[in-house]
Amino acid sequence: MLTDSMLFQIVAHTPTWVFAVFALLAWRGARQLVTREVSLAGVTVLPLALVGFALYGVASAFGHSQAGLLALVAWVVAATASGFWMQARPLSSRTQYDPELREFLLPGSPWPLVRMMGIFLTKYVVGVTLVLHPGLAQDSGFALGISALYGLFSGIFAGGALRLWRLAISADRTASLA
């Protein structure tokens, strides 16, 4: 059981850059609470960065352990499954794409913030857990579960970006035919 003293020690020994990443993700997620215009590059870069952050989480936690390959497979399977699931979901009817400006008009939503905080907190909690219990890095069940969770987040981010890319490609084709 964690005591207040242990929680204080955990936070006190957290590198400063972790708080900077948290602040950046919180800021980026909060911006997505309101309707906004976003470029094609803008809807691509953040999901790629978050997929990279999740994959880094798998590699840093389990890459040097016997569970490393299993962890990577779990990440791939979960990312693929959740990516396909996300792509199958319809975009909001308020989502628009302007082929001339190559920009999206995206409605505000709390879900990007929730997912960003989810992936960040997963990485943070796993990091703390492995410092307190380093043997868990060798535990196949732990590696599989955590890596699948990272994969879930990755697939949702990638699938969401691919949905927007499909909208853009479709709108570009329609505009070129007109």
Side-chain angles (χ1 to χ4, degrees):
M1 183 165 115
L2 290 177
T3 65
D4 290 345
S5 173
M6 288 175 70
L7 287 174
F8 177 78
Q9 289 299 315
I10 289 167
V11 172
H13 288 92
T14 298
T16 305
W17 67 265
V18 172
F19 296 109
V21 169
F22 175 81
L24 176 66
L25 291 174
W27 173 72
R28 290 294 307 233
R31 287 182 53 200
Q32 295 187 40
L33 292 170
V34 297
T35 300
R36 67 219 176 276
E37 294 173 352
V38 182
S39 69
L40 197 53
V43 299
T44 305
V45 171
L46 184 60
L48 284 176
L50 290 167
V51 167
F53 188 54
L55 194 52
Y56 170 72
V58 172
S60 64
F62 310 112
H64 293 91
S65 74
Q66 292 177 343
L69 183 58
L70 179 64
L72 183 59
V73 169
W75 180 86
V76 168
V77 169
T80 301
S82 62
F84 278 121
W85 173 81
M86 189 67 172
Q87 286 185 66
R89 297 179 47 82
L91 286 168
S92 165
S93 61
R94 297 178 297 155
T95 301
Q96 300 171 13
Y97 178 72
D98 184 333
E100 278 187 37
L101 297 175
R102 298 187 63 83
E103 281 188 346
F104 294 92
L105 180 64
L106 301 176
S109 171
W111 293 113
L113 174 61
V114 169
R115 291 188 300 258
M116 286 181 215
M117 291 298 101
I119 204 167
F120 175 85
L121 290 173
T122 299
K123 174 80 175 94
Y124 186 78
V125 168
V126 168
V128 170
T129 300
L130 291 176
V131 165
L132 296 174
H133 307 284
L136 283 175
Q138 305 297 326
D139 184 300
S140 296
F142 183 76
L144 193 125
I146 295 300
S147 297
L149 182 59
Y150 279 131
L152 174 75
F153 286 122
S154 297
I156 290 172
F157 277 110
L162 288 173
R163 285 188 314 173
L164 293 170
W165 268 89
R166 280 198 330 251
L167 173 63
I169 290 167
S170 174
D172 286 342
R173 283 184 189 149
T174 302
S176 70
L177 295 174

